[in-house]
Amino acid sequence: MHITGLGSASSILRASRARFPPPVSKTSILYSPKFSPSYLTTNNQLRSLSFSSAVRSLRCSYPRWSHGVDWRSPATLRHQIRAVAPVVERFQRKIATMAHEHPFKGIFTSLPKPGGGEFGKFYSLPALNDPRIEKLPYSIRILLESAIRNCDNFQVTKGDVEKIIDWENTAPKLVEIPFKPARVLLQVCLKLEKDFTGVPVVVDLASMRDAMAQLGGDSNKINPLVPVDLVIDHSVQVDVARSENAVQANMELEFHRNKERFAFLKWGSTAFQNMLVVPPGSGIVHQVNLEYLGRVVFNTDGVLYPDSVVGTDSHTTMIDGLGVAGWGVGGIEAEAAMLGQPMSMVLPGVVGFKLNGKLHNGVTATDLVLTVTQMLRKHGVVGKFVEFYGDGMSKLSLADRATIANMSPEYGATMGFFPVDHVTLQYLKLTGRSDETVAMIEAYLRANKMFVDYNEPQPERVYSAYLQLDLADVEPCISGPKRPHDRVPLKEMKADWHACLNNKVGFKGFAVPKEAQDKVAKFSFHGQPAELKHGSVVIAAITSCTNTSNPSVMLGAGLVAKKACELGLKVKPWIKTSLAPGSGVVTKYLLQSGLQKYLNEQGFNIVGYGCTTCIGNSGDLDESVGAVITENDILAAAVLSGNRNFEGRVHALTRANYLASPPLVVAYALAGTVNIDFDKEPIGTGKDGKSVYFRDIWPTAEEIAEVVQSSVLPAMFKSTYESITKGNPMWNQLSVPASTSYSWDPSSTYIHEPPYFKNMTMNPPGAHGVKDAYCLLNFGDSITTDHISPAGSIHKDSPTAKYLLEHGVDRKDFNSYGSRRGNDEVMARGTFANIRLVNKFLNGEVGPKTVHIPTGEKLSVYDAAMRYKNAGLDTIVLAGAEYGSGSSRDWAAKGPMLLGVKAVIAKSFERIHRSNLVGMGIIPLCFKAGQDADTLGLTGHERYTIDLPSNISEIRPGQDVTVTTDNGKSFTCTARFDTAVELEYFNHGGILPYAIRSLMKQ
């Protein structure tokens, strides 16, 4: 029987696709005689199945779903369809596979256990019998497996699979492929101006639930379709340091500042399925990912596949050290992945980086990563994968590898990938993964040719380019004073510092006059005589995901502190010292080793668990220190174990910022200056009156290895992560509603319901052109997402300031755009509000203004946009080359959409930003080669009509589109809808409405 309005079983099942169905038992529908593979042999047979036959099998296989239901009644069936939906979703996935619909069904095979039974089934790359696969880099094999497993000939096609297999020939052509990561990693920054997306992503999910309910659907269907882990780690600030109570005091201030947003995220942790929220105070997201969240191999419903992850922080790449493919993306890409949609990416070139030999005694992983960063920056690896290999790999611990992978953004690569080998397996056991899990991981990766066994001959792999480093050539170094890749060998540091004083202002220069270079500024520090000079260290921070996950350098720092204490050295009290471990495990092994007490004696008390100084959460300097720096124009220094040291990032008063290993951070804190030659000059005077040199406090490799071996224990990882989601008393005391729908507070200026789904109906708005649109902004080349997306402080005379004042927010409480990313009203007003914005309409004037064409008035971009929008007038943006380059910021697409921008016509687009525009329903058009607004004689004062068919089926990816103006000009552009999937997004008004309507049909 067929039911009106429901369609056949096959149509219902196709609409009910599930990404991760629950486990299937032998009594499940998989083994139902009605639906055996021999019965369902063709698509036509599948289509001919009636809904009643599906129901009969559901009753047979899932009796718990059929109890008390009159299955004969069509009305009852309609009433019960929601309850049956999870079974139907599961049923569809299994039926699709068994009906031989999967294009690669022939390589879906079993992975046996050594003692009998099976680990599960997997798509076997060797079973393709294609010799090209044997030569593929391991990182590309992960992309290949994902494409094969997710191939449906719509979102992922067999043609996409062939592109990846033929990587050696296709990668140089910059072809695009779809990629579906296994999971998504979100992290939350609630203070700085960074584009972190945890809060706005949860805001979007909450508003999608409301839209679902308004359409008459089940709002609880709105959940991530892939596992999502959200870690709150970038909100702690070093307000209190050098105190045994620092952790508690800083956490109290953290909760005071962020209570409303913490409560919202806590609500999300209970309201959404498939989402794990790690509370504040637990650790840095990337270390938690490495030690706990990383799966390496998934086993979902008995299907095995490699772990892969995209995250909303650029240093998501740290997980590459574990053999998990991961990199940073913007918020819209992350949301798309969460909703089961493919990400479009250029098939990357892969640089093979061969490591030989071993590190010398006294050389740290930080020295190695700074060396690698400099080499790769020089070579040029932007947009590429870097894959490490060679006999030197066996000499690098997993933590050392993670340190190198972490700094992929600093050397410019998408990934710095370390394939899984025996070192990886040992680390998995150390960090508490079970023996059975590790055995499954090894068996799967070996069977699918993704495991490296350096005890066996290594087949030759093809790379796009080759680099090589002998680890014995690495020497102690730091990096700075303004960029991570400006490496300085330690032995040359004093000379380099003096060169920086003399050089003209730039990345390696401060242009300090000769007569002022020896200036001494004396002051009183809480009654104690003190002085600062150029190069004096005022911040020394052991911080950041890069190094605090590595026991060798963390315990090495403890050994330096211990030796210094024993010799009678002491860090000057006016230096702001801090230690922010990446997880609670670090505290456990520092205590186990007995070294934390020596770090405390030198002022390196633990201040919190999260990212601090590296992202600028260094807190205030003491007033007396800040005053003497400002009044005497002292070139003060910060030394930190971080990954970024751009000017103004660490602290406004430290113009010289150096990246160093944790042991070197302690050494420079003891010296009190970066103006020192550690080989020749003493660090200080010991308690016996003798000079103490760097060599006297520096631990040997054997000393570090011994303390690592005795202090870093598997039980520490297990006990830490068993309780990680339990939170802390302050988190647990947050009161949140039990409702799965969010109760929006209209008075909140931090969390606001966005208008994306206002007046949404079940019928897609369809394809549409643009008629008689005005030009909102007329740009030249290289408009970046920093120009477009709201960032930084909120100007006192801006539309955003006016909005906040009207809502009772004092100027002192404006905070930043980054802190208010969960409020669309704030973010819309901050779009195109960059003070460096260059708009051709303003004839050379720089700033966030534009001209309202109908009246000729010069207005803020927001006010002009609202004039057009309130008058029912569409707007477009004209731009030059590389529009949207820079970091992939979701608000760079969301903001223009809220301003009413319908299209952007540019010479070229940054790849991810173009995709984001489509995701928000904005039309991206490219001028034809050799043309732009200037060559076509466009001033921006015209009105523009973009001729697009109203029927989406009449639009093809990349087709030509005619644009006409009201003054008679006509020109042809290329519509940059690059895939059929993107056309579907456009048809629905964006990716989020598309997802809602798709779920409504299930």
Side-chain angles (χ1 to χ4, degrees):
M1 100 185 155
H2 289 268
I3 302 169
T4 303
L6 290 177
S8 67
S10 58
S11 66
I12 293 172
L13 301 176
R14 281 195 299 272
S16 306
R17 182 169 301 172
R19 298 299 186 268
F20 292 94
V24 178
S25 69
K26 287 190 177 181
T27 59
S28 76
I29 203 160
L30 178 62
Y31 293 92
S32 171
K34 279 281 186 184
F35 299 100
S36 66
S38 62
Y39 179 76
L40 294 177
T41 56
T42 69
N43 290 345
N44 288 334
Q45 286 173 311
L46 178 61
R47 293 188 188 98
S48 70
L49 281 172
S50 67
F51 190 82
S52 57
S53 64
V55 166
R56 285 195 298 273
S57 190
L58 289 171
R59 291 182 63 196
C60 176
S61 301
Y62 292 92
R64 71 177 186 268
W65 286 100
S66 59
H67 179 70
V69 176
D70 180 6
W71 290 103
R72 297 168 296 178
S73 165
T76 302
L77 281 169
R78 293 190 191 96
H79 180 73
Q80 294 292 332
I81 190 64
R82 185 177 300 167
V84 176
V87 182
V88 175
E89 291 173 355
R90 193 178 323 167
F91 173 80
Q92 189 276 339
R93 178 70 172 266
K94 296 300 177 184
I95 289 300
T97 300
M98 289 178 292
H100 296 234
E101 288 188 333
H102 198 289
F104 293 93
K105 61 185 182 297
I107 64 169
F108 192 59
T109 187
S110 175
L111 181 66
K113 288 184 177 180
E118 66 174 27
F119 287 113
K121 291 182 169 56
F122 70 105
Y123 288 93
S124 171
L125 302 187
L128 287 171
N129 293 318
D130 193 317
R132 293 174 295 177
I133 295 175
E134 190 71 17
K135 292 185 177 181
L136 288 178
Y138 287 94
S139 50
I140 298 298
R141 296 181 197 190
I142 293 175
L143 301 183
L144 174 61
E145 189 283 337
S146 175
I148 289 172
R149 177 167 36 88
N150 290 295
C151 185
D152 59 2
N153 280 326
F154 174 58
Q155 292 184 332
V156 184
T157 69
K158 291 184 76 173
D160 296 320
V161 173
E162 173 58 25
K163 288 178 188 176
I164 302 172
I165 293 176
D166 199 34
W167 168 85
E168 187 177 356
N169 296 312
T170 54
K173 300 175 183 177
L174 302 179
V175 300
E176 292 207 13
I177 60 166
F179 175 62
K180 288 190 171 185
R183 58 188 175 95
V184 174
L185 183 69
L186 307 176
Q187 103 300 15
V188 179
C189 175
L190 299 173
K191 177 182 180 291
L192 292 189
E193 295 76 41
K194 300 190 71 172
D195 196 50
F196 295 154
T197 52
V199 170
V201 163
V202 179
V203 166
D204 288 350
L205 288 173
S207 61
M208 288 175 72
R209 281 202 168 169
D210 290 347
M212 194 82 161
Q214 290 165 10
L215 290 172
D218 181 1
S219 61
N220 290 324
K221 284 185 178 181
I222 299 293
N223 286 296
L225 295 176
V226 301
V228 174
D229 303 305
L230 189 155
V231 182
I232 306 171
D233 73 330
H234 282 60
S235 55
V236 61
Q237 178 171 296
V238 187
D239 293 296
V240 179
R242 288 178 168 261
S243 167
E244 292 183 2
N245 189 46
V247 172
Q248 181 67 22
N250 288 324
M251 187 174 289
E252 288 175 358
L253 288 167
E254 180 183 4
F255 271 78
H256 174 73
R257 293 185 182 110
N258 303 304
K259 183 177 180 180
E260 177 186 357
R261 287 162 287 170
F262 281 172
F264 175 68
L265 293 170
K266 185 178 181 182
W267 167 82
S269 71
T270 60
F272 294 103
Q273 300 172 14
N274 224 11
M275 178 186 286
L276 171 71
V277 175
V278 178
S282 302
I284 300 175
V285 57
H286 308 304
Q287 185 160 349
V288 174
N289 193 24
L290 191 72
E291 295 175 351
Y292 177 61
L293 299 174
R295 279 78 154 176
V296 184
V297 172
F298 268 87
N299 185 344
T300 302
D301 263 9
V303 178
L304 307 174
Y305 52 96
D307 187 4
S308 58
V309 59
V310 293
T312 54
D313 181 80
S314 56
H315 293 104
T316 299
T317 54
M318 189 170 189
I319 199 67
D320 302 339
L322 194 65
V324 174
W327 59 86
V329 297
I332 292 175
E333 301 98 295
E335 289 187 40
M338 287 168 57
L339 297 170
Q341 301 303 307
M343 293 170 38
S344 179
M345 62 180 289
V346 171
L347 185 60
V350 182
V351 175
F353 198 120
K354 188 173 185 179
L355 298 172
N356 298 318
K358 61 181 290 188
L359 296 172
H360 278 307
N361 197 357
V363 176
T364 68
T366 313
D367 303 321
L368 172 58
V369 72
L370 294 179
T371 302
V372 168
T373 297
Q374 186 182 50
M375 289 180 64
L376 288 171
R377 267 286 175 184
K378 183 178 180 180
H379 178 78
V381 291
V382 173
K384 296 181 173 66
F385 290 175
V386 176
E387 185 166 297
F388 294 89
Y389 69 104
D391 58 23
M393 294 278 282
S394 62
K395 307 297 192 299
L396 291 180
S397 70
L398 195 291
D400 291 347
R401 299 174 183 190
T403 300
I404 297 170
N406 176 278
M407 287 191 71
S408 294
E410 282 65 48
Y411 46 80
T414 302
M415 282 206 305
F417 188 74
F418 290 80
V420 175
D421 60 11
H422 287 104
V423 173
T424 319
L425 302 180
Q426 292 166 7
Y427 181 83
L428 291 172
K429 292 179 179 179
L430 170 68
T431 51
R433 276 78 162 193
S434 69
D435 290 343
E436 183 178 356
T437 297
V438 175
M440 177 201 72
I441 289 169
E442 181 177 7
Y444 168 79
L445 294 175
R446 283 184 179 276
N448 227 6
K449 301 295 183 183
M450 295 181 179
F451 186 86
V452 181
D453 190 335
Y454 288 103
N455 296 319
E456 300 175 355
Q458 294 299 302
E460 181 181 351
R461 288 183 295 282
V462 175
Y463 292 109
S464 308
Y466 297 82
L467 289 176
Q468 184 169 333
L469 173 66
D470 188 335
L471 296 176
D473 292 338
V474 179
E475 56 186 335
C477 57
I478 61 176
S479 187
K482 301 180 183 181
R483 296 189 300 184
H485 53 282
D486 289 333
R487 186 180 69 92
V488 184
L490 207 58
K491 63 186 179 185
E492 299 174 12
M493 179 56 198
K494 186 178 180 73
D496 189 83
W497 172 251
H498 283 276
C500 287
L501 291 178
N502 291 319
N503 292 342
K504 66 180 181 179
V505 174
F507 293 123
K508 293 290 288 187
F510 297 102
V512 177
K514 287 280 188 184
E515 63 274 14
Q517 291 183 9
D518 295 325
K519 180 192 298 184
V520 178
K522 298 184 179 294
F523 66 105
S524 175
F525 181 79
H526 300 279
Q528 179 179 347
E531 64 178 38
L532 292 181
K533 304 176 183 178
H534 294 309
S536 290
V537 174
V538 295
I539 291 177
I542 300 174
T543 179
S544 170
C545 49
T546 305
N547 287 290
T548 60
S549 63
N550 194 327
S552 65
V553 292
M554 296 299 287
L555 290 166
L559 288 171
V560 171
K562 179 176 184 288
K563 289 173 181 282
C565 288
E566 291 170 346
L567 291 168
L569 297 184
K570 192 82 169 178
V571 175
K572 299 292 190 294
W574 53 84
I575 298 176
K576 187 167 187 177
T577 45
S578 61
L579 167 57
S583 81
V585 176
V586 179
T587 301
K588 286 183 170 65
Y589 63 64
L590 284 173
L591 291 172
Q592 171 77 15
S593 65
L595 296 175
Q596 182 62 57
K597 67 178 181 181
Y598 299 108
L599 287 165
N600 290 347
E601 286 184 35
Q602 297 296 348
F604 288 94
N605 301 81
I606 295 175
V607 296
Y609 299 91
C611 195
T612 55
T613 307
C614 189
I615 59 159
N617 283 5
S618 47
D620 293 332
L621 294 176
D622 187 89
E623 284 186 17
S624 63
V625 175
V628 74
I629 292 173
T630 304
E631 293 166 6
N632 295 276
D633 197 24
I634 292 294
L635 189 55
V639 184
L640 63 150
S641 63
N643 47 44
R644 289 186 179 170
N645 56 340
F646 304 121
E647 195 168 13
R649 178 185 178 94
V650 173
H651 194 285
L653 296 178
T654 59
R655 284 184 284 160
N657 302 281
Y658 287 92
L659 305 182
S661 66
L664 275 178
V665 171
V666 179
Y668 273 107
L670 289 162
T673 181
V674 296
N675 183 20
I676 184 172
D677 183 339
F678 278 144
D679 284 344
K680 300 175 181 177
E681 298 178 77
I683 286 178
T685 303
K687 57 189 176 184
D688 59 0
K690 295 180 180 179
S691 294
V692 177
Y693 288 85
F694 178 80
R695 58 183 173 270
D696 299 323
I697 63 171
W698 198 252
T700 64
E702 290 74 22
E703 287 176 304
I704 293 174
E706 183 180 344
V707 72
V708 169
Q709 182 68 29
S710 62
S711 304
V712 184
L713 307 173
M716 295 175 177
F717 293 90
K718 187 174 182 180
S719 62
T720 298
Y721 288 109
E722 278 179 344
S723 59
I724 193 168
T725 58
K726 295 179 182 177
N728 52 66
M730 283 179 275
W731 173 264
N732 296 335
Q733 287 168 13
L734 289 174
S735 177
V736 297
S739 170
T740 56
S741 295
Y742 188 67
S743 298
W744 304 97
D745 179 359
S747 65
S748 174
T749 56
Y750 281 105
I751 306 293
H752 185 265
E753 182 179 11
Y756 308 140
F757 314 113
K758 189 176 181 181
N759 302 322
M760 180 179 170
T761 67
M762 271 301 294
N763 295 320
H768 57 85
V770 176
K771 186 170 178 60
D772 291 332
Y774 283 98
C775 180
L776 178 64
L777 292 153
N778 188 1
F779 292 132
D781 295 341
S782 301
I783 293 297
T784 71
T785 50
D786 285 330
H787 291 114
I788 307 167
S789 184
S793 59
I794 297 170
H795 194 276
K796 60 184 179 66
D797 296 323
S798 65
T800 308
K802 180 181 178 183
Y803 168 82
L804 292 173
L805 289 169
E806 289 173 350
H807 285 73
V809 179
D810 292 335
R811 290 191 188 277
K812 64 181 177 63
D813 297 321
F814 276 4
N815 214 324
S816 65
Y817 282 110
S819 69
R820 297 184 180 274
R821 296 185 70 250
N823 187 316
D824 61 279
E825 295 281 4
V826 168
M827 300 303 281
R829 287 166 171 81
T831 300
F832 297 115
N834 190 296
I835 60 172
R836 301 298 177 199
L837 195 69
V838 178
N839 178 7
K840 292 180 182 179
F841 285 152
L842 301 182
N843 299 316
E845 182 183 340
V846 176
K849 300 281 187 179
T850 195
V851 173
H852 181 248
I853 303 300
T855 64
E857 291 179 77
K858 186 168 69 174
L859 302 171
S860 72
V861 176
Y862 174 80
D863 288 338
M866 292 304 102
R867 284 260 193 108
Y868 289 123
K869 197 170 182 180
N870 293 335
L873 299 170
D874 290 342
T875 55
I876 66 159
V877 170
L878 291 176
E882 299 177 340
Y883 181 79
S885 56
S887 300
S888 55
R889 301 181 186 275
D890 56 334
W891 275 106
K894 288 179 176 178
M897 185 275 288
L898 292 175
L899 294 182
V901 173
K902 301 300 182 184
V904 178
I905 309 176
K907 287 179 68 175
S908 64
F909 292 91
E910 190 278 333
R911 179 181 59 84
I912 293 177
H913 183 64
R914 182 207 60 80
S915 176
N916 285 350
L917 290 174
V918 175
M920 295 311 297
I922 295 175
I923 303 168
L925 298 181
C926 273
F927 291 109
K928 288 296 183 179
Q931 295 183 345
D932 59 21
D934 292 337
T935 62
L936 292 169
L938 303 174
T939 65
H941 289 78
E942 307 87 354
R943 298 185 74 172
Y944 295 80
T945 295
I946 299 170
D947 184 21
L948 271 178
S950 58
N951 189 334
I952 195 69
S953 64
E954 297 176 12
I955 306 177
R956 302 181 314 279
Q959 80 173 42
D960 285 349
V961 172
T962 299
V963 182
T964 57
T965 66
D966 61 340
N967 62 357
K969 292 183 184 295
S970 177
F971 55 96
T972 302
C973 289
T974 302
R976 289 297 311 276
F977 302 111
D978 289 358
T979 65
V981 176
E982 288 189 343
L983 283 172
E984 276 299 305
Y985 296 161
F986 178 61
N987 188 50
H988 283 262
I991 187 171
L992 300 183
Y994 170 83
I996 291 172
R997 292 189 183 98
S998 298
L999 289 168
M1000 279 291 296
K1001 293 176 181 177
Q1002 293 184 10

